[in-house]
Amino acid sequence: MQNLVVEYEKLANSRLPACSKISGKLIETSCTILDLKGVSLRSFASVSNFVKQASNIGQNYYPERMGKFYIINAPMLFSSVWSFVRPLLDEVTAAKIVILGSKYKQTLLENIPAENLPVSLGGTCDCPGGCQNSDAGPWNEGHVHENGHAHEN
């Protein structure tokens, strides 16, 4: 949870302002993708608890920053648990969370430009060392991805 708060602070203080400046329009939200591929039933309760806590942090402390939150490769059991967790969240926040199974690529590409989506998730972005580990973007002077697009990790 501490890492999540640190990332929200980076988002609010440097990333979104830099993206707004380079795009010439106000950008106020980010998109999050949580991949549940390989999550076992044993760790399922902790993942469900993480999603609930992360949603609460976003809704209570950074409500204007939380854009879509895609949960991909969600097992059917997760959807059942989600039906119990969703009513506990603010209606606006809950509407931002999209639960997807293994057929997520089309939905992601309808909402995220391919150049900003990692190859592993159906996009065309292929950062050295993996997009999930990249901090490329206009908030790092001289560290924009080689295709010229900034993206969030």
Side-chain angles (χ1 to χ4, degrees):
M1 285 300 118
Q2 183 177 358
N3 185 52
L4 179 66
V5 172
V6 167
E7 290 300 316
Y8 266 125
E9 289 296 319
K10 286 181 188 176
L11 187 70
N13 296 326
S14 63
R15 292 177 178 167
L16 292 177
C19 289
S20 294
K21 183 178 179 181
I22 202 166
S23 71
K25 62 182 178 184
L26 183 61
I27 298 176
E28 297 180 291
T29 62
S30 71
C31 174
T32 302
I33 301 171
L34 176 62
D35 189 353
L36 297 183
K37 186 175 185 177
V39 172
S40 68
L41 287 177
R42 187 178 313 138
S43 60
F44 187 74
S46 62
V47 169
S48 296
N49 190 42
F50 172 81
V51 170
K52 183 179 173 187
Q53 288 180 347
S55 299
N56 279 325
I57 287 172
Q59 134 185 322
N60 295 331
Y61 300 101
Y62 305 95
E64 70 284 355
R65 302 293 181 224
M66 186 177 162
K68 285 287 188 185
F69 187 159
Y70 296 99
I71 300 175
I72 63 171
N73 290 311
M76 286 181 44
L77 178 62
F78 190 86
S79 295
S80 299
V81 171
W82 175 244
S83 67
F84 291 104
V85 172
R86 184 183 172 114
L88 302 174
L89 299 174
D90 173 81
E91 200 173 303
V92 173
T93 299
K96 294 178 181 181
I97 300 171
V98 180
I99 311 295
L100 301 169
S102 60
K103 297 180 187 215
Y104 58 83
K105 291 181 181 180
Q106 181 178 343
T107 300
L108 293 182
L109 287 168
E110 287 171 1
N111 294 282
I112 303 167
E115 64 270 12
N116 293 340
L117 189 64
V119 169
S120 62
L121 298 179
T124 59
C125 188
D126 191 20
C127 298
C131 296
Q132 69 276 13
N133 297 318
S134 175
D135 194 30
W139 51 88
N140 287 329
E141 204 63 36
H143 289 91
V144 175
H145 191 273
E146 59 268 4
N147 67 12
H149 291 88
H151 57 275
E152 187 60 30
N153 54 348

